[in-house]
Amino acid sequence: MIRLEVVRGQEVGRALESDQDLVRIGRADRNDLVVTDHHVSGEHASIAFNGEHWVLRDHHSTNGTRVQRGGETIDLATQPGRELVLAPGDVVQLGEPSGAVHVAVTLDDDDDGARIVSVRQVADLGEVEQAASRELLQSLYEAQRAISAALELEQAVDLVAAQVFRFLSRATHVTIALREDEEAGKPKRSARYVPVGTRVRDVGASVEAVPITRSVFKKVVQDRAAVLAADARRDVGETASLMAAQILSTIGVPLWQGEEILGVIQVDNRAAKGLFKEADLDLLALLAQSASLAFANTRLVTRLRIAEERQRTENVYLKRREERRRFDGIIGESRAMKTLFDQLKKVVDTRVTVLIEGETGTGKELVASAVHYWSNRREKLFVAQNCAALPENLLESELFGHKKGSFTGATDDKKGLFELAHEGTLFLDEVGEMPLSLQAKLLRVLQEGEVRPVGSNTTRRVDVRIVAATNRDLETEVKEGRFREDLYYRLKVFPLRLPSLRERREDIPLLAGHFLKRYAEEFGRTVRGFSQQAMEQMQGYPWPGNVRELENEVQRLVIQVDDDGFIQPSHLSPRIRQSEEATAGRFRTIKGTLKEMVEHVEKQILREALEEHDNNKSATAKTLGITREGLHKKLKGYGMS
């Protein structure tokens, strides 16, 4: 039992008593002890029972966690793994040092009152084997061989329970608790022993896990011993005979690998009178040797599968990263592109979120990859996800990952893109298409730097630089309730606007030449270039599909044109030729003096430019290469203001 009481802060007097092995503390409602002070993080810290001690762990909180012990203050940021074993009388300090929330900790070491009847040290198990009969040894050998064949966790639990019920006639319940797996071989003192399965005699299926008896559990872990105990809470009285009472009798034995305790097998007698015998304790201790190997193997197999999945996933992204690294750069010499380059130089080596706005086909993902590969994160992964490409449930799993069994088809644990992109960059394309429910979860990642996989009750810290892109007007989406306002301002820390191709027509020859060279080499063709008339028609076309449409057009032209020839106007797509003819027709509709015809053409150009920019005069003036005052003067002269 652990008791926590807030003795300083906004929640003074709030207390929590818990017999659970994990207590979470933080500002978010999902915590066991909720502390609402603004400088406390969403999931600030946790206190876990690891079989021997209660361990406080700081979850990389923004303002830190400290422990006041006597006259000393211990900062968890200075402790290995940001963890500290708690002692009676400790006071946990959360948040800013000047106004920290103080939480008094009371540790009740009374456990659950179980009476220890007999103990067998793991080192003494060999003596038990020598004392066993030949028939029993043969049966044990068969049982151990069956258990050792297990490679899946559920299979191992089933096989161990079956053999326990075979050899221990009084056993009614078998529960397996395993230590949480550590990452990268770095054990954490706060790692818990979690019940992974309970089996009941004659039920034939798994049931809800039975809690481990605390006092037995502690002795098994601390002493590396098999323990036989009676539960005094169900005893009929201090003087009554234990053998005559219908009470719970329990055996706990360790699962071990070398010096490490992997877990505990607890076997209960919940139906029959009397205690387990010491012979039962010896038999279970012998079975635990094979069970230890089986569970060590299942853990190894799980690790290998996760590693293989991670390697497959990372290989895909590494290949995509290398492909992106080979790009020749973002092409453009227009004023709009030079402005974009200047902005990129300022933002690439910062951690701020970047929002790329622009029409479809303007090259938003190319700019996003530049933000990554031109930055100091270039050696880590650049991961891209189109938010409009998947339905909501699959997109959530793709971004945040999921736990095995969290939904139909979730056959294994899966890491999300946020975890894969740790210390790298995650590009969220078409973020305006993201459902509102996922927008809330994305906002939490941006605020707290933590992700929660689907079906999991724990969070994981991630360090990811977010680059988002959209072809929608997010301000309008916010006003109409389709996009969260708080998320909008979190994303638009540093906006980058990509100009449309019609705003940078002078870059069309550069882009067309680049694509011509690429596809000529790819298709093994020899194309000498574009004729002047063809290029003029291409520059006159509005390109509603922007750079992507231009790329597709050049790709088609390379296939169509004869080797060693020039691309002529007749090779262009009908829509481009028709656009040029329509424009020429409009400009030929008026007859008169040169001045009158020039004025007519200029008015037509001004009108079309204003339409392209939704009557935004600043943007129109910028595209036309004149000042806003100059544009106003021309519009007024033509009666268009």
Side-chain angles (χ1 to χ4, degrees):
M1 179 72 70
I2 184 170
R3 187 176 192 276
L4 305 176
E5 181 179 358
V6 180
V7 295
R8 174 179 168 184
Q10 293 182 7
E11 307 294 336
V12 168
R14 175 170 287 185
L16 171 72
E17 289 188 358
S18 177
D19 58 0
Q20 300 299 309
D21 289 342
L22 177 67
V23 177
R24 295 167 295 185
I25 307 170
R27 197 177 66 249
D29 292 340
R30 58 186 167 272
N31 291 287
D32 302 295
L33 179 63
V34 177
V35 183
T36 59
D37 299 62
H38 72 277
H39 54 89
V40 174
S41 296
E43 289 190 4
H44 195 102
S46 64
I47 301 175
F49 183 73
N50 68 359
E52 300 180 65
H53 309 286
W54 288 97
V55 181
L56 173 67
R57 182 183 179 197
D58 176 75
H59 291 282
H60 295 274
S61 60
T62 303
N63 296 308
T65 303
R66 294 158 297 281
V67 171
Q68 182 180 337
R69 181 174 293 169
E72 180 186 10
T73 299
I74 305 170
D75 191 339
L76 264 69
T78 66
Q79 302 298 304
R82 303 176 76 92
E83 296 179 343
L84 183 69
V85 174
L86 291 174
D90 282 350
V91 176
V92 178
Q93 301 178 358
L94 309 170
E96 297 173 350
S98 59
V101 175
H102 287 200
V103 179
V105 180
T106 302
L107 305 177
D108 185 358
D109 200 31
D110 192 28
D111 299 317
D112 46 31
R115 298 183 178 186
I116 305 301
V117 177
S118 183
V119 175
R120 293 284 187 274
Q121 297 294 326
V122 170
D124 298 333
L125 296 184
E127 299 177 8
V128 178
E129 288 191 51
Q130 294 174 13
S133 67
R134 183 181 184 88
E135 293 77 11
L136 179 58
L137 286 176
Q138 179 63 32
S139 298
L140 283 170
Y141 170 73
E142 294 171 357
Q144 290 173 333
R145 187 171 63 176
I147 293 172
S148 299
L151 293 178
E152 301 287 346
L153 180 60
E154 288 293 315
Q155 181 189 21
V157 174
D158 287 338
L159 289 172
V160 170
Q163 297 304 325
V164 170
F165 292 141
R166 173 186 174 187
F167 285 94
L168 277 65
S169 60
R170 292 184 178 88
T172 60
H173 294 69
V174 175
T175 297
I176 309 294
L178 297 178
R179 184 181 176 94
E180 289 179 316
D181 207 0
E182 297 87 14
E183 295 183 6
K186 298 179 181 179
K188 292 184 175 65
R189 287 180 293 183
S190 60
R192 299 176 299 141
Y193 290 84
V194 180
V196 296
T198 292
R199 301 293 184 268
V200 179
R201 183 185 290 274
D202 299 328
V203 171
S206 61
V207 297
E208 184 177 352
V210 173
I212 296 292
T213 304
R214 179 66 59 79
S215 56
V216 174
F217 174 64
K218 285 184 65 175
K219 194 160 189 67
V220 169
V221 173
Q222 290 177 345
D223 296 351
R224 295 173 53 82
V227 176
L228 169 60
D231 189 342
R233 290 176 302 178
R234 298 181 58 183
D235 200 349
V236 295
E238 288 293 327
T239 60
S241 169
L242 288 175
M243 296 298 295
Q246 186 171 342
I247 62 174
L248 172 66
S249 179
T250 298
I251 301 177
V253 297
L255 300 167
W256 70 94
Q257 185 178 33
E259 295 301 314
E260 180 187 4
I261 299 297
L262 303 179
V264 174
I265 302 177
Q266 173 175 300
V267 179
D268 295 337
N269 173 9
R270 298 190 171 211
K273 291 183 178 181
L275 295 171
F276 284 120
K277 304 295 185 182
E278 292 198 15
D280 296 325
L281 176 66
D282 294 337
L283 284 170
L284 187 58
L286 288 173
L287 290 174
Q289 296 183 58
S290 297
S292 297
L293 177 61
F295 286 110
N297 286 342
T298 63
R299 186 166 71 170
L300 178 60
V301 169
T302 300
R303 284 177 174 174
L304 287 174
R305 286 177 177 167
I306 292 173
E308 287 176 357
E309 176 64 24
R310 182 187 300 120
Q311 185 179 40
R312 281 196 298 269
T313 306
E314 290 182 353
N315 281 344
V316 171
Y317 287 113
L318 285 170
K319 289 178 181 178
R320 293 181 63 186
R321 183 175 77 173
E322 291 307 313
E323 290 174 1
R324 289 189 179 91
R325 279 185 164 180
R326 292 197 293 269
F327 75 87
D328 297 329
I330 304 172
I331 297 170
E333 296 180 357
S334 62
R335 183 185 305 178
M337 294 304 293
K338 288 178 180 178
T339 300
L340 176 65
F341 293 146
D342 289 339
Q343 291 178 304
L344 280 171
K345 290 175 184 177
K346 294 175 182 177
V347 77
V348 290
D349 278 330
T350 68
R351 297 184 61 185
V352 301
T353 302
V354 176
L355 178 62
I356 304 172
E357 300 170 294
E359 297 177 5
T360 299
T362 50
K364 294 187 287 293
E365 184 168 355
L366 185 63
V367 172
S369 66
V371 172
H372 175 76
Y373 289 114
W374 296 355
S375 75
N376 51 20
R377 292 175 178 252
R378 66 180 64 89
E379 296 305 320
K380 301 297 182 179
L381 286 179
F382 172 82
V383 182
Q385 176 61 49
N386 189 319
C387 297
L390 295 174
E392 179 178 346
N393 59 332
L394 293 181
L395 180 59
E396 181 180 6
S397 171
E398 194 70 13
L399 292 176
F400 303 105
H402 64 249
K403 298 292 290 181
K404 178 182 177 181
S406 56
F407 55 87
T408 302
T411 56
D412 294 291
D413 289 355
K414 176 185 176 181
K415 282 194 173 185
L417 298 184
F418 275 100
E419 288 190 74
L420 288 174
H422 180 61
E423 297 183 341
T425 303
L426 175 59
F427 173 52
L428 298 176
D429 198 8
E430 303 303 340
V431 71
E433 304 281 347
M434 182 177 286
L436 281 169
S437 59
L438 285 188
Q439 291 178 28
K441 296 186 178 182
L442 174 59
L443 178 65
R444 182 180 179 279
V445 177
L446 293 173
Q447 289 176 332
E448 304 291 346
E450 298 174 336
V451 296
R452 185 191 298 275
V454 177
S456 174
N457 58 4
T458 60
T459 59
R460 300 171 184 175
R461 297 288 301 180
V462 291
D463 173 17
V464 179
R465 205 255 183 89
I466 301 295
V467 179
T470 181
N471 60 5
R472 293 188 175 189
D473 184 348
L474 290 188
E475 286 193 30
T476 301
E477 297 294 303
V478 169
K479 291 176 183 177
E480 296 180 1
R482 292 190 294 269
F483 201 85
R484 293 178 62 106
E485 185 176 16
D486 46 4
L487 178 58
Y488 171 67
Y489 289 115
R490 279 279 184 176
L491 291 176
K492 200 171 183 177
V493 177
F494 194 95
L496 291 174
R497 180 185 174 276
L498 268 61
S500 63
L501 191 53
R502 58 185 174 276
E503 294 176 74
R504 44 183 290 226
R505 295 180 188 272
E506 58 266 52
D507 289 334
I508 290 176
L510 291 173
L511 290 163
H514 168 76
F515 295 135
L516 180 67
K517 180 180 178 182
R518 177 201 291 181
Y519 290 112
E521 291 176 354
E522 182 177 333
F523 300 152
R525 305 296 303 277
T526 303
V527 182
R528 298 180 64 183
F530 297 88
S531 68
Q532 182 177 344
Q533 295 87 345
M535 184 54 67
E536 287 175 355
Q537 289 191 16
M538 292 173 69
Q539 286 184 282
Y541 178 64
W543 297 106
N546 293 294
V547 179
R548 186 179 297 133
E549 183 183 5
L550 174 62
E551 180 180 2
N552 292 339
E553 176 69 13
V554 174
Q555 185 177 11
R556 187 192 63 80
L557 290 170
V558 171
I559 297 172
Q560 183 177 347
V561 175
D562 294 334
D563 279 342
D564 209 34
F566 282 91
I567 295 173
Q568 302 295 336
S570 59
H571 296 132
L572 299 175
S573 297
R575 64 182 184 279
I576 299 176
R577 297 199 303 271
Q578 290 169 2
S579 174
E580 191 276 340
E581 290 166 2
T583 302
R586 289 199 305 273
F587 291 161
R588 288 196 298 266
T589 55
I590 185 170
K591 297 294 183 181
T593 65
L594 177 61
K595 183 177 182 238
E596 291 172 336
M597 288 189 289
V598 169
E599 288 177 350
H600 173 77
V601 171
E602 190 171 40
K603 286 170 64 177
Q604 186 70 29
I605 292 172
L606 289 171
R607 188 176 295 110
E608 291 182 356
L610 285 167
E611 289 176 357
E612 286 181 5
H613 295 287
D614 296 324
N615 217 37
N616 184 318
K617 294 182 175 60
S618 296
T620 302
K622 188 174 182 180
T623 299
L624 296 174
I626 60 178
T627 64
R628 182 181 172 89
E629 292 74 16
L631 176 62
H632 273 294
K633 185 176 179 180
K634 286 184 178 292
L635 294 175
K636 185 176 181 180
Y638 290 134
M640 299 171 61
S641 58

